[in-house]
Amino acid sequence: MDHLVLQKMQRLKGMLGKTAKLLHSARMVLSLLGAMEKTAKDGTAGVPNLQLYDLKTGKCLKSFIQKKMQNWCPCWAEDESICARSVNNEIHFFEKNEFNTIAHKLHLQKVSDFVLSPGSQPNKVAVYVPGSKGAPSFVRLYQYPNFGGPQSALANKSFFKADKVTMLWNKKATAVLVIASTEVDKTGASYYGEQTLHYIATNGESAVVQLPKTGPIYDVVWNPNSTEFCVVYGFMPAKATVFNLKCDPVFDFGTGPRNAVYYNPSGHILVLAGFGNLRGQMEVWDVKNYKLISKPLGSDSTYFAWCPDGEHFVTATCAPRLRVGNGYKIWHYTGSVLHQYEVPVNEELWQVSWQPFLDGIFPTKAVTYQAVPSELPNAEPKPAQAYRPPALRNKPVTSSKLHEDEPPQNMKPQPGSIDKPLSKTALKNQRKHEAKKAAKQEARVDGSQESALPPATQNIPCNPMPAVTSGDPEVDKKIKNLKKKLKAIEQLKEQAASGKQLEKNQLEKIQKEGSLLQELEDLELGF
């Protein structure tokens, strides 16, 4: 029993540490005393278990009775002018840290969660109400303190299939991304439930973000410029795509072993990474030109953070996620390790943080693609090789990939630029077609030689040759349709060459060009 009590106390201590980190600028600290449910047996209110302290004076400003374990933490605006707290079917707002007076209330039946917007005033708040009895769930956006009912809402988005949501404001507080999740996928496609992504703007616009690949949503991050966001999604290997404010795809990074995305503070460099149960592979991209800068490997990393200068980032292996090999590395975005620290044996590393700086202190620098020199040797371990039985070790290695990675859209081969290996039947047919083509060419040469007659003969009048036809109206009709399709394909190729983004069905038409040409040749050689 003592051991269990000690574990609970350690968990509460960890929760307090995280809360203090969130509220470091608010000069407040929360104190959770005892269990979250603290009521007397006679039904009266029990001992307050949530207390707010002023860190400068150590004075307890207010005590609350917090009954629910979820979404219990109060939330402050960045300028500390507003503090919000969820209470039953209401959200209470306090101004200037005066907790004895509730400045405003937002009443919504069964309201479950809320998020205050970043930045300066006017502050906005996003609230979530789960669905019940066939009614859909919804998220509404309000501007503080205009809470006069549904008509006062800036925007409203309803959706089904949501047991819980995660709401993400962009930096300019103009839009919110909502990740709706269900605990169980009724189709049975995923063990981890089902997830959808929704976009809601303060001007009233809303949309469902269409993700081309099915599977879980691993990470969603706004670009600091607030004009685009990146999503990592789909069954492994996962896809990553950048979307604009119209929820249209801007760039597709293809697939790979990744489950996280990180924009640097300036928003012009992006890192795709695979941490946790993945090997720590990273891809550093130039966002403006969508060009790959480097592909470093941070093995066993459990933490990643950009430096405020936007040029360096840190990866760390921390306890309790991993208790072996704790330490951290400081990288330049070109892939060079500039500093490395390993924790001594029998010690643990729990947290790594950059020194904070105000926005705008570090100017945005142009992206470079040449690796920055480092005094540290490249000691990253080589990728582990798959086990091979002794009987196969002296034989050539054959590819045994379970999934083929899809390259980024700017690295995909153009349709028809790469010839796939042909089967035996296809090779046989190809030889036949080449023989027919050679015979036809010889016949044309013989005809041209016969036409090269003396001038006297050439002056003999003759009837013009009629247009060559097969004699079969059906075949002529097929030839005409094939030429029409090939002409349309040529137009699509010209549009793609000019930089126009083609649709999926148009790309599929271009890929059929080879088979159409072959079919046309077969029909023409048949008569």
Side-chain angles (χ1 to χ4, degrees), residues 461-467:
C462 60
N463 296 328
M465 291 292 294

Side-chain angles (χ1 to χ4, degrees), residues 17-320:
K18 293 179 181 179
T19 305
K21 180 182 176 182
L22 290 171
L23 308 178
H24 68 280
S25 64
R27 304 193 307 274
M28 298 291 160
V29 64
L30 305 181
S31 175
L32 290 172
L33 305 177
M36 296 302 294
E37 191 76 32
K38 198 91 172 180
T39 56
K41 293 182 179 180
D42 57 0
T44 59
V47 179
N49 59 346
L50 174 59
Q51 299 176 345
L52 304 182
Y53 284 86
D54 189 329
L55 290 179
K56 285 188 175 180
T57 63
K59 179 183 176 182
C60 180
L61 300 179
K62 186 66 176 178
S63 297
F64 299 99
I65 296 177
Q66 180 65 37
K67 297 182 179 181
K68 294 183 179 180
M69 187 66 150
Q70 295 180 343
N71 304 325
W72 61 269
C73 184
C75 182
W76 273 265
E78 286 188 4
D79 59 1
E80 303 181 26
S81 61
I82 300 173
C83 177
R85 175 174 175 262
S86 179
V87 181
N88 295 331
N89 296 319
E90 295 178 336
I91 300 175
H92 293 177
F93 293 86
F94 306 91
E95 295 182 351
K96 299 179 180 179
N97 293 328
E98 295 292 338
F99 297 102
N100 292 321
T101 303
I102 300 175
H104 296 278
K105 293 182 180 180
L106 173 57
H107 179 82
L108 282 173
Q109 197 68 24
K110 296 183 179 180
V111 60
S112 174
D113 197 6
F114 74 96
V115 180
L116 287 178
S117 65
S120 58
Q121 298 182 10
N123 297 103
K124 302 178 183 67
V125 58
V127 295
Y128 164 65
V129 176
S132 60
K133 296 181 180 179
S137 306
F138 64 85
V139 170
R140 285 180 186 167
L141 309 184
Y142 292 91
Q143 180 170 308
Y144 180 84
N146 301 326
F147 304 139
Q151 300 301 325
S152 63
L154 300 174
N156 182 82
K157 175 67 175 174
S158 301
F159 44 85
F160 290 94
K161 297 182 179 181
D163 296 329
K164 61 180 181 179
V165 300
T166 301
M167 296 176 286
L168 306 170
W169 281 98
N170 62 4
K171 193 173 182 179
K172 294 182 180 179
T174 58
V176 176
L177 291 172
V178 180
I179 307 173
S181 307
T182 59
E183 299 295 338
V184 179
D185 185 358
K186 295 183 179 179
T187 63
S190 174
Y191 174 79
Y192 299 99
E194 189 176 0
Q195 293 175 305
T196 53
L197 183 61
H198 305 269
Y199 167 86
I200 311 173
T202 54
N203 61 4
E205 296 179 356
S206 63
V208 179
V209 182
Q210 300 294 337
L211 303 177
K213 187 174 184 180
T214 59
I217 298 174
Y218 302 103
D219 201 6
V220 180
V221 176
W222 280 101
N223 188 315
N225 63 19
S226 299
T227 61
E228 62 184 22
F229 56 93
C230 185
V231 188
V232 181
Y233 59 96
F235 295 111
M236 288 293 170
K239 284 183 73 70
T241 307
V242 174
F243 296 88
N244 59 20
L245 296 183
K246 295 182 179 180
C247 299
D248 296 328
V250 176
F251 186 80
D252 181 8
F253 294 96
T255 61
R258 78 249 314 198
N259 54 15
V261 57
Y262 308 91
Y263 280 99
N264 75 334
S266 301
H268 70 303
I269 299 177
L270 174 145
V271 172
L272 298 172
F275 295 142
N277 58 343
L278 299 177
R279 294 183 54 244
Q281 293 172 315
M282 295 180 281
E283 299 175 21
V284 185
W285 286 82
D286 176 0
V287 173
K288 183 178 180 180
N289 302 310
Y290 288 108
K291 186 176 179 181
L292 184 65
I293 302 173
S294 62
K295 295 184 69 173
L297 178 64
S299 301
D300 299 329
S301 297
T302 62
Y303 177 78
F304 177 100
W306 274 103
C307 177
D309 67 357
E311 292 189 68
H312 304 85
F313 57 84
V314 62
T315 59
T317 304
C318 302

Side-chain angles (χ1 to χ4, degrees), residues 334-350:
T334 54
S336 303
V337 180
L338 305 182
H339 179 72
Q340 180 175 353
Y341 175 77
E342 296 181 0
V343 175
V345 182
N346 299 327
E347 293 185 13
E348 294 179 348
L349 178 67
W350 284 75

